[in-house]
Short mmCIF file of all heavy atoms in Angstrom, two decimals:
data_model
loop_
_atom_site.label_atom_id
_atom_site.label_comp_id
_atom_site.label_asym_id
_atom_site.label_seq_id
_atom_site.Cartn_x
_atom_site.Cartn_y
_atom_site.Cartn_z
N VAL A 210 176.36 101.07 100.29
CA VAL A 210 176.94 100.07 99.41
C VAL A 210 177.83 99.16 100.24
O VAL A 210 178.76 99.63 100.91
CB VAL A 210 177.78 100.73 98.28
CG1 VAL A 210 178.39 99.68 97.38
CG2 VAL A 210 176.92 101.70 97.48
N THR A 211 177.53 97.87 100.22
CA THR A 211 178.39 96.88 100.87
C THR A 211 178.73 95.82 99.83
O THR A 211 178.23 95.85 98.71
CB THR A 211 177.67 96.21 102.07
OG1 THR A 211 176.54 95.49 101.59
CG2 THR A 211 177.24 97.24 103.10
N ARG A 212 179.52 94.87 100.22
CA ARG A 212 179.86 93.78 99.31
C ARG A 212 178.64 92.94 98.96
O ARG A 212 178.56 92.37 97.89
CB ARG A 212 180.95 92.89 99.90
CG ARG A 212 182.30 93.54 99.91
CD ARG A 212 183.36 92.55 100.34
NE ARG A 212 184.67 93.15 100.29
CZ ARG A 212 185.51 93.00 99.28
NH1 ARG A 212 185.19 92.28 98.26
NH2 ARG A 212 186.68 93.58 99.31
N GLU A 213 177.68 92.87 99.87
CA GLU A 213 176.51 92.01 99.66
C GLU A 213 175.37 92.71 98.94
O GLU A 213 174.59 92.08 98.24
CB GLU A 213 175.99 91.47 101.00
CG GLU A 213 176.90 90.47 101.67
CD GLU A 213 178.03 91.14 102.44
OE1 GLU A 213 177.86 92.28 102.87
OE2 GLU A 213 179.08 90.50 102.61
N GLU A 214 175.22 94.03 99.13
CA GLU A 214 174.04 94.69 98.56
C GLU A 214 174.29 96.18 98.33
O GLU A 214 175.20 96.76 98.88
CB GLU A 214 172.83 94.52 99.47
CG GLU A 214 172.94 95.26 100.79
CD GLU A 214 171.71 95.12 101.65
OE1 GLU A 214 170.64 94.79 101.11
OE2 GLU A 214 171.82 95.36 102.85
N VAL A 215 173.41 96.75 97.53
CA VAL A 215 173.37 98.19 97.32
C VAL A 215 171.97 98.64 97.73
O VAL A 215 170.97 98.16 97.20
CB VAL A 215 173.62 98.55 95.83
CG1 VAL A 215 173.45 100.04 95.62
CG2 VAL A 215 174.99 98.10 95.41
N ASP A 216 171.89 99.54 98.70
CA ASP A 216 170.61 100.05 99.16
C ASP A 216 170.58 101.55 98.90
O ASP A 216 171.18 102.33 99.64
CB ASP A 216 170.41 99.75 100.65
CG ASP A 216 169.09 100.27 101.17
OD1 ASP A 216 168.14 100.41 100.37
OD2 ASP A 216 168.99 100.55 102.38
N CYS A 217 169.90 101.94 97.85
CA CYS A 217 169.85 103.35 97.47
C CYS A 217 168.39 103.76 97.28
O CYS A 217 167.80 103.56 96.21
CB CYS A 217 170.65 103.59 96.19
SG CYS A 217 170.82 105.32 95.81
N PRO A 218 167.77 104.35 98.32
CA PRO A 218 166.37 104.74 98.23
C PRO A 218 166.08 105.73 97.09
O PRO A 218 165.03 105.65 96.46
CB PRO A 218 166.07 105.38 99.59
CG PRO A 218 167.11 104.84 100.51
CD PRO A 218 168.32 104.60 99.65
N ALA A 219 167.00 106.64 96.82
CA ALA A 219 166.77 107.62 95.73
C ALA A 219 166.65 106.91 94.39
O ALA A 219 165.82 107.28 93.56
CB ALA A 219 167.91 108.63 95.70
N THR A 220 167.48 105.89 94.18
CA THR A 220 167.39 105.13 92.93
C THR A 220 166.08 104.38 92.84
O THR A 220 165.45 104.35 91.79
CB THR A 220 168.58 104.15 92.82
OG1 THR A 220 169.79 104.90 92.89
CG2 THR A 220 168.53 103.37 91.53
N ARG A 221 165.66 103.77 93.95
CA ARG A 221 164.38 103.05 93.94
C ARG A 221 163.22 103.99 93.64
O ARG A 221 162.32 103.64 92.87
CB ARG A 221 164.16 102.33 95.28
CG ARG A 221 164.95 101.05 95.40
CD ARG A 221 164.43 100.17 96.51
NE ARG A 221 164.27 100.85 97.78
CZ ARG A 221 165.19 100.90 98.73
NH1 ARG A 221 166.35 100.34 98.56
NH2 ARG A 221 164.95 101.54 99.86
N LEU A 222 163.21 105.17 94.25
CA LEU A 222 162.15 106.14 93.96
C LEU A 222 162.15 106.55 92.50
O LEU A 222 161.10 106.73 91.89
CB LEU A 222 162.30 107.38 94.84
CG LEU A 222 161.88 107.27 96.29
CD1 LEU A 222 162.23 108.54 97.04
CD2 LEU A 222 160.39 106.98 96.40
N SER A 223 163.34 106.70 91.94
CA SER A 223 163.42 107.16 90.55
C SER A 223 163.02 106.08 89.56
O SER A 223 162.88 106.35 88.38
CB SER A 223 164.82 107.68 90.24
OG SER A 223 165.76 106.64 90.29
N GLN A 224 162.82 104.85 90.04
CA GLN A 224 162.41 103.76 89.16
C GLN A 224 160.90 103.53 89.17
O GLN A 224 160.42 102.66 88.45
CB GLN A 224 163.13 102.47 89.55
CG GLN A 224 164.61 102.53 89.29
CD GLN A 224 165.36 101.34 89.86
OE1 GLN A 224 164.85 100.60 90.68
NE2 GLN A 224 166.59 101.15 89.40
N VAL A 225 160.16 104.30 89.95
CA VAL A 225 158.70 104.10 90.04
C VAL A 225 158.01 104.52 88.75
O VAL A 225 157.25 103.76 88.17
CB VAL A 225 158.12 104.86 91.25
CG1 VAL A 225 156.59 104.84 91.23
CG2 VAL A 225 158.63 104.26 92.55
N CYS A 226 158.28 105.73 88.30
CA CYS A 226 157.67 106.22 87.07
C CYS A 226 158.49 107.40 86.56
O CYS A 226 159.38 107.90 87.27
CB CYS A 226 156.20 106.63 87.29
SG CYS A 226 155.98 108.04 88.38
N ALA A 227 158.18 107.85 85.38
CA ALA A 227 158.94 108.95 84.77
C ALA A 227 158.83 110.24 85.59
O ALA A 227 159.82 110.97 85.74
CB ALA A 227 158.48 109.19 83.34
N GLY A 228 157.65 110.51 86.12
CA GLY A 228 157.46 111.72 86.93
C GLY A 228 158.30 111.71 88.19
O GLY A 228 158.93 112.70 88.55
N TRP A 229 158.30 110.57 88.87
CA TRP A 229 159.10 110.45 90.09
C TRP A 229 160.58 110.48 89.76
O TRP A 229 161.38 111.00 90.54
CB TRP A 229 158.74 109.18 90.84
CG TRP A 229 157.45 109.28 91.61
CD1 TRP A 229 156.38 110.08 91.33
CD2 TRP A 229 157.10 108.55 92.78
NE1 TRP A 229 155.40 109.87 92.25
CE2 TRP A 229 155.80 108.93 93.15
CE3 TRP A 229 157.75 107.57 93.53
CZ2 TRP A 229 155.15 108.40 94.25
CZ3 TRP A 229 157.10 107.04 94.63
CH2 TRP A 229 155.82 107.46 94.99
N ARG A 230 160.98 109.91 88.62
CA ARG A 230 162.39 109.95 88.22
C ARG A 230 162.83 111.39 88.02
O ARG A 230 163.88 111.81 88.51
CB ARG A 230 162.60 109.13 86.95
CG ARG A 230 164.05 109.10 86.50
CD ARG A 230 164.33 108.14 85.33
NE ARG A 230 163.27 108.02 84.35
CZ ARG A 230 162.39 107.00 84.30
NH1 ARG A 230 162.45 106.03 85.19
NH2 ARG A 230 161.46 106.96 83.37
N GLU A 231 162.04 112.17 87.31
CA GLU A 231 162.38 113.57 87.08
C GLU A 231 162.49 114.33 88.40
O GLU A 231 163.42 115.10 88.60
CB GLU A 231 161.31 114.24 86.21
CG GLU A 231 161.49 114.05 84.74
CD GLU A 231 160.44 114.83 83.97
OE1 GLU A 231 160.27 116.03 84.24
OE2 GLU A 231 159.79 114.22 83.11
N LEU A 232 161.50 114.10 89.29
CA LEU A 232 161.50 114.80 90.56
C LEU A 232 162.70 114.38 91.41
O LEU A 232 163.41 115.23 91.96
CB LEU A 232 160.19 114.53 91.32
CG LEU A 232 160.04 115.24 92.66
CD1 LEU A 232 160.12 116.75 92.48
CD2 LEU A 232 158.74 114.84 93.33
N ALA A 233 162.96 113.09 91.53
CA ALA A 233 164.08 112.60 92.34
C ALA A 233 165.41 113.13 91.80
O ALA A 233 166.29 113.52 92.58
CB ALA A 233 164.08 111.08 92.39
N ARG A 234 165.56 113.15 90.50
CA ARG A 234 166.81 113.63 89.90
C ARG A 234 166.98 115.14 90.05
O ARG A 234 168.08 115.66 89.93
CB ARG A 234 166.89 113.22 88.44
CG ARG A 234 167.03 111.71 88.26
CD ARG A 234 167.00 111.31 86.80
NE ARG A 234 168.16 111.79 86.06
CZ ARG A 234 169.29 111.11 85.92
NH1 ARG A 234 169.42 109.92 86.47
NH2 ARG A 234 170.29 111.61 85.22
N SER A 235 165.89 115.85 90.34
CA SER A 235 165.97 117.31 90.49
C SER A 235 166.20 117.75 91.93
O SER A 235 166.31 118.94 92.20
CB SER A 235 164.69 117.95 89.95
OG SER A 235 163.61 117.69 90.83
N ILE A 236 166.28 116.80 92.87
CA ILE A 236 166.49 117.12 94.28
C ILE A 236 167.90 116.70 94.68
O ILE A 236 168.15 115.54 94.98
CB ILE A 236 165.44 116.41 95.17
CG1 ILE A 236 164.02 116.72 94.71
CG2 ILE A 236 165.63 116.79 96.63
CD1 ILE A 236 162.96 115.88 95.37
N PRO A 237 168.85 117.63 94.68
CA PRO A 237 170.25 117.28 94.93
C PRO A 237 170.51 116.61 96.28
O PRO A 237 171.36 115.74 96.39
CB PRO A 237 170.98 118.64 94.86
CG PRO A 237 170.08 119.51 94.07
CD PRO A 237 168.69 119.04 94.36
N ILE A 238 169.75 116.98 97.30
CA ILE A 238 170.00 116.44 98.64
C ILE A 238 169.79 114.92 98.70
O ILE A 238 170.40 114.24 99.51
CB ILE A 238 169.12 117.17 99.69
CG1 ILE A 238 169.60 116.88 101.11
CG2 ILE A 238 167.67 116.79 99.56
CD1 ILE A 238 170.83 117.62 101.49
N LEU A 239 168.97 114.38 97.81
CA LEU A 239 168.74 112.93 97.80
C LEU A 239 170.00 112.17 97.39
O LEU A 239 170.15 111.00 97.72
CB LEU A 239 167.62 112.57 96.82
CG LEU A 239 166.23 113.15 97.05
CD1 LEU A 239 165.26 112.60 96.02
CD2 LEU A 239 165.75 112.89 98.44
N TRP A 240 170.88 112.82 96.67
CA TRP A 240 172.04 112.16 96.08
C TRP A 240 173.35 112.56 96.78
O TRP A 240 174.44 112.27 96.29
CB TRP A 240 172.13 112.51 94.60
CG TRP A 240 170.86 112.21 93.88
CD1 TRP A 240 169.84 113.07 93.61
CD2 TRP A 240 170.45 110.95 93.36
NE1 TRP A 240 168.83 112.42 92.97
CE2 TRP A 240 169.18 111.12 92.79
CE3 TRP A 240 171.04 109.69 93.31
CZ2 TRP A 240 168.48 110.08 92.19
CZ3 TRP A 240 170.35 108.65 92.71
CH2 TRP A 240 169.10 108.84 92.16
N SER A 241 173.25 113.23 97.93
CA SER A 241 174.46 113.79 98.54
C SER A 241 175.05 112.96 99.68
O SER A 241 175.98 113.40 100.33
CB SER A 241 174.15 115.20 99.05
OG SER A 241 173.17 115.14 100.06
N ASP A 242 174.53 111.77 99.94
CA ASP A 242 175.03 110.96 101.05
C ASP A 242 175.28 109.52 100.58
O ASP A 242 174.35 108.82 100.17
CB ASP A 242 174.00 110.97 102.18
CG ASP A 242 174.52 110.31 103.45
OD1 ASP A 242 175.74 110.07 103.54
OD2 ASP A 242 173.70 110.04 104.34
N ILE A 243 176.54 109.11 100.60
CA ILE A 243 176.91 107.76 100.15
C ILE A 243 177.78 107.12 101.23
O ILE A 243 178.74 107.73 101.71
CB ILE A 243 177.72 107.78 98.84
CG1 ILE A 243 177.02 108.60 97.77
CG2 ILE A 243 177.96 106.37 98.34
CD1 ILE A 243 177.89 108.86 96.58
N ASN A 244 177.46 105.89 101.58
CA ASN A 244 178.25 105.13 102.54
C ASN A 244 178.71 103.85 101.85
O ASN A 244 177.90 102.98 101.55
CB ASN A 244 177.41 104.82 103.78
CG ASN A 244 178.21 104.10 104.85
OD1 ASN A 244 179.27 103.55 104.60
ND2 ASN A 244 177.68 104.12 106.06
N ILE A 245 180.01 103.75 101.60
CA ILE A 245 180.56 102.58 100.92
C ILE A 245 181.40 101.80 101.93
O ILE A 245 182.41 102.30 102.41
CB ILE A 245 181.42 102.98 99.70
CG1 ILE A 245 180.56 103.75 98.70
CG2 ILE A 245 182.04 101.75 99.05
CD1 ILE A 245 181.32 104.32 97.53
N ASN A 246 180.95 100.61 102.24
CA ASN A 246 181.64 99.76 103.20
C ASN A 246 181.94 98.43 102.53
O ASN A 246 181.08 97.58 102.41
CB ASN A 246 180.77 99.55 104.45
CG ASN A 246 181.47 98.72 105.50
OD1 ASN A 246 182.59 98.29 105.32
ND2 ASN A 246 180.79 98.51 106.60
N LEU A 247 183.18 98.25 102.11
CA LEU A 247 183.56 97.03 101.40
C LEU A 247 184.38 96.09 102.29
O LEU A 247 185.08 95.22 101.80
CB LEU A 247 184.34 97.38 100.12
CG LEU A 247 183.56 98.20 99.12
CD1 LEU A 247 184.42 98.50 97.90
CD2 LEU A 247 182.28 97.51 98.70
N TYR A 248 184.27 96.28 103.59
CA TYR A 248 184.95 95.40 104.53
C TYR A 248 184.39 93.99 104.36
O TYR A 248 183.18 93.79 104.37
CB TYR A 248 184.73 95.89 105.96
CG TYR A 248 185.31 94.98 107.00
CD1 TYR A 248 186.69 94.90 107.18
CD2 TYR A 248 184.49 94.22 107.81
CE1 TYR A 248 187.24 94.06 108.13
CE2 TYR A 248 185.03 93.38 108.78
CZ TYR A 248 186.40 93.31 108.92
OH TYR A 248 186.93 92.48 109.87
N LEU A 249 185.25 93.03 104.18
CA LEU A 249 184.83 91.65 103.93
C LEU A 249 184.61 90.93 105.26
O LEU A 249 185.54 90.74 106.04
CB LEU A 249 185.86 90.91 103.09
CG LEU A 249 185.48 89.51 102.64
CD1 LEU A 249 184.21 89.56 101.79
CD2 LEU A 249 186.58 88.89 101.83
N VAL A 250 183.38 90.55 105.51
CA VAL A 250 183.04 89.78 106.70
C VAL A 250 183.49 88.34 106.47
O VAL A 250 183.17 87.76 105.44
CB VAL A 250 181.52 89.84 106.97
CG1 VAL A 250 181.16 89.05 108.21
CG2 VAL A 250 181.06 91.28 107.08
N PRO A 251 184.23 87.74 107.41
CA PRO A 251 184.77 86.39 107.18
C PRO A 251 183.71 85.34 106.84
O PRO A 251 183.95 84.47 106.03
CB PRO A 251 185.45 86.05 108.52
CG PRO A 251 185.71 87.36 109.17
CD PRO A 251 184.66 88.30 108.68
N GLU A 252 182.53 85.42 107.46
CA GLU A 252 181.49 84.42 107.17
C GLU A 252 180.92 84.58 105.77
O GLU A 252 180.38 83.66 105.19
CB GLU A 252 180.33 84.51 108.17
CG GLU A 252 180.71 84.37 109.61
CD GLU A 252 181.05 85.71 110.25
OE1 GLU A 252 180.35 86.69 109.99
OE2 GLU A 252 182.03 85.76 110.99
N SER A 253 180.99 85.79 105.24
CA SER A 253 180.38 86.07 103.95
C SER A 253 181.46 86.40 102.93
O SER A 253 182.01 87.49 102.93
CB SER A 253 179.41 87.24 104.08
OG SER A 253 178.97 87.65 102.82
N GLU A 254 181.77 85.46 102.08
CA GLU A 254 182.79 85.66 101.06
C GLU A 254 182.20 86.16 99.74
O GLU A 254 182.90 86.33 98.78
CB GLU A 254 183.55 84.34 100.81
CG GLU A 254 184.31 83.84 102.02
CD GLU A 254 185.55 84.68 102.33
OE1 GLU A 254 186.15 85.20 101.38
OE2 GLU A 254 185.90 84.80 103.51
N SER A 255 180.88 86.36 99.69
CA SER A 255 180.25 86.77 98.43
C SER A 255 180.57 88.23 98.13
O SER A 255 180.70 89.05 99.02
CB SER A 255 178.74 86.57 98.50
OG SER A 255 178.18 87.43 99.45
#
């Protein structure tokens, strides 16, 4: 997670279909790593 975007592969996989959503939500390791970097880059004020 940055100020410009959110890149979460587990969420993208869970949006493919109901079966993949169930499977992705049942695998705890997919959801155990989060990197939040909200450092504001001077060139990018968004």
Side-chain angles (χ1 to χ4, degrees):
V210 179
T211 64
R212 287 188 177 262
E213 290 82 26
E214 68 177 340
V215 175
D216 180 26
C217 188
T220 302
R221 281 197 310 268
L222 283 174
S223 66
Q224 292 172 344
V225 171
C226 66
W229 283 27
R230 181 173 35 260
E231 276 184 50
L232 182 60
R234 292 175 67 90
S235 71
I236 305 170
I238 194 76
L239 300 184
W240 306 95
S241 63
D242 188 13
I243 309 169
N244 184 343
I245 300 174
N246 182 0
L247 299 180
Y248 176 72
L249 186 60
V250 180
E252 303 89 42
S253 171
E254 297 287 328
S255 65

